[in-house]
């Protein structure tokens, strides 16, 4: 499912979270395989008491069912969520949405955005990833939307700040061409004035 654009809107960046977001799923896979293998070996040992050996087929079945659920919920679901969730930066807004399933989009219009902050941990910095914090709102109500583990985050931060500045300039020009209209005052501290935490 492609992002539906309005007239004059263009996609500037289309990306998904950095592959480091898959590390918890990988760790879960390794742990699940280890535990399942241990339990299967333990139940199938010939030295087990006769009671356990008699019902071992039931134990093996339960281990596979439980292990399968563990793998689906802890590994497969996060991988699929990563694969189908895309982040778009357009000339009018920032959108994060799922390509499949319930959309649950995150939409932040550039007209309501006042600041873009870049935050990186040391590990994220080594992997060229990081979080972008979008400060947005209207009528004095400020909200924070976090885009986690964005790839090539410094470049994306720069592009987003440039698009925000270009949008504000376009709005100011539009108002200046209309007699008697005064350009709205944009929120202070946007673009490259964004903070950075390392």
């Amino acid at each position: 499912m492609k992002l539906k654009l309005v007239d004059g809107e263009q996609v500037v960046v289309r990306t998904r979270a950095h592959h480091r977001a898959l590390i918890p799923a990988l760790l879960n896979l390794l742990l699940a395989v280890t535990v399942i293998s241990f339990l299967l070996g333990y139940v199938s040992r010939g030295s087990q008491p006769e009671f356990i050996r008699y019902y071992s087929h039931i134990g093996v079945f339960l281990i596979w069912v439980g292990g399968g659920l563990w793998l689906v919920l802890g590994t497969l679901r996060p991988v699929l969520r990563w694969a189908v969730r895309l982040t778009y930066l357009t000339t009018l807004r920032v959108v994060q949405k799922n390509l499949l399933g319930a959309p649950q989009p995150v939409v932040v219009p550039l007209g309501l955005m006042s600041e873009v902050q870049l935050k990186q941990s040391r590990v994220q910095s080594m992997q060229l990833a990081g979080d972008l914090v979008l400060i947005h709102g209207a009528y004095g109500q400020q909200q924070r939307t976090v885009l986690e583990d964005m790839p090539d985050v410094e470049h994306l931060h720069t592009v987003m700040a440039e698009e925000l500045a270009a949008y504000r300039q376009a709005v100011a020009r539009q108002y200046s061409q209309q007699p008697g209209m005064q350009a709205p005052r944009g929120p202070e501290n946007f673009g490259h004035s964004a903070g950075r935490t390392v």
Side-chain angles (χ1 to χ4, degrees):
M1 182 185 298
K2 293 183 178 180
L3 179 66
K4 295 181 180 179
L5 304 176
V6 300
D7 292 340
E9 183 180 17
Q10 297 179 350
V11 174
V12 180
V13 175
R14 174 181 178 271
T15 187
R16 61 168 47 91
H18 192 275
H19 60 263
R20 74 182 302 275
L22 298 175
I23 293 177
L26 175 61
L27 294 177
N28 181 83
L29 173 63
L30 296 176
L31 180 60
V33 170
T34 301
V35 172
I36 292 170
S37 300
F38 171 78
L39 292 177
L40 288 174
Y42 179 80
V43 170
S44 302
R45 266 194 311 197
S47 59
Q48 293 290 0
E50 182 179 349
F51 174 80
I52 294 179
R53 282 185 284 132
Y54 183 77
Y55 290 103
S56 64
H57 60 285
I58 298 177
V60 169
F61 174 76
L62 293 177
I63 291 170
W64 278 116
V65 170
L69 288 174
W70 185 357
L71 289 171
V72 168
L73 297 178
T75 298
L76 183 59
R77 188 171 67 171
V79 170
L80 289 177
R81 187 185 304 152
W82 173 85
V84 302
R85 192 161 182 82
L86 294 177
T87 301
Y88 297 86
L89 168 63
T90 77
T91 51
L92 297 178
R93 56 192 169 146
V94 177
V95 180
Q96 194 171 64
K97 63 176 296 186
N98 296 328
L99 296 178
L100 301 173
Q104 300 176 343
V106 173
V107 181
V108 180
L110 295 186
L112 297 180
M113 194 185 306
S114 59
E115 187 176 356
V116 183
Q117 296 180 346
L118 167 60
K119 294 191 175 183
Q120 283 181 308
S121 66
R122 295 188 184 277
V123 175
Q124 285 177 320
S125 180
M126 290 187 294
Q127 298 173 336
L128 302 180
D131 301 337
L132 290 178
V133 183
L134 313 182
I135 312 298
H136 58 96
Y139 306 108
Q141 301 294 324
Q142 294 293 310
Q143 301 179 35
R144 291 173 176 262
T145 297
V146 181
L147 307 178
E148 297 180 348
D149 284 325
M150 290 290 100
D152 197 8
V153 70
E154 292 188 3
H155 175 69
L156 181 57
H157 176 250
T158 299
V159 172
M160 193 172 292
E162 291 172 349
E163 286 299 320
L164 182 56
Y167 175 85
R168 295 196 179 282
Q169 292 171 1
V171 170
R173 283 196 303 270
Q174 180 181 357
Y175 273 84
S176 67
Q177 294 172 0
Q178 299 179 9
M181 296 292 291
Q182 183 178 3
R185 294 184 60 188
E188 300 177 356
N189 300 327
F190 67 91
H192 286 285
S193 62
R196 173 173 176 161
T197 302
V198 179

